[in-house]
Amino acid sequence: MEKDFELTGLFGLYGNLLTEHQKELFDLYYGCDLSLGEIAEIKKISRQSVNDGLKKAKEVLFETEEKLGLYKKISLIKTETEKARDCGDYKSAVNNIKSLLEEV
């Protein structure tokens, strides 16, 4: 489940790097929660083709994140924001967030 959440976040950031076919497969599988068989029937392709398309899409998303690291940095910024809200140490949080943004 955590992996699916990360994948949808990566898709939100890097989804435009996928082919239209990969985007559609990804959306049907992760967005609409359809099975490989259901997607295969809709797209009139084999379950293996659906699986291969999803696998390639995931590879592109993870490889792009490995190179750019935007999802990780955004997650760290969210964490800093939540910590600041919870403990009231806004000055420290702002400095940490500025540091993270400089890396982007």
Side-chain angles (χ1 to χ4, degrees):
M1 187 64 153
E2 179 72 27
K3 193 68 129 178
D4 290 352
F5 185 72
E6 180 182 7
L7 270 172
T8 56
L10 293 175
F11 182 76
L13 284 172
Y14 309 124
N16 286 333
L17 299 174
L18 302 177
T19 66
E20 288 303 315
H21 179 69
Q22 290 169 335
K23 286 185 214 178
E24 190 171 352
L25 294 178
F26 192 94
D27 184 52
L28 290 170
Y29 189 75
Y30 291 99
C32 298
D33 199 28
L34 297 180
S35 70
L36 297 179
E38 291 169 324
I39 297 168
E41 189 175 318
I42 291 168
K43 299 291 289 172
K44 301 193 182 339
I45 58 176
S46 69
R47 291 178 78 242
Q48 186 61 48
S49 292
V50 174
N51 191 47
D52 291 346
L54 287 169
K55 182 179 177 184
K56 180 62 180 166
K58 289 189 278 187
E59 286 173 6
V60 169
L61 296 174
F62 282 123
E63 286 172 6
T64 305
E65 173 60 14
E66 188 176 312
K67 291 176 185 173
L68 301 178
L70 294 176
Y71 182 80
K72 181 179 178 185
K73 289 175 181 148
I74 289 169
S75 295
L76 291 171
I77 290 169
K78 286 180 182 178
T79 300
E80 285 298 322
T81 303
E82 290 169 3
K83 283 195 315 191
R85 184 192 65 224
D86 292 344
C87 69
D89 185 7
Y90 295 104
K91 186 174 182 174
S92 175
V94 167
N95 289 333
N96 290 338
I97 291 170
K98 281 182 182 178
S99 174
L100 290 168
L101 289 173
E102 286 173 4
E103 294 176 22
V104 176

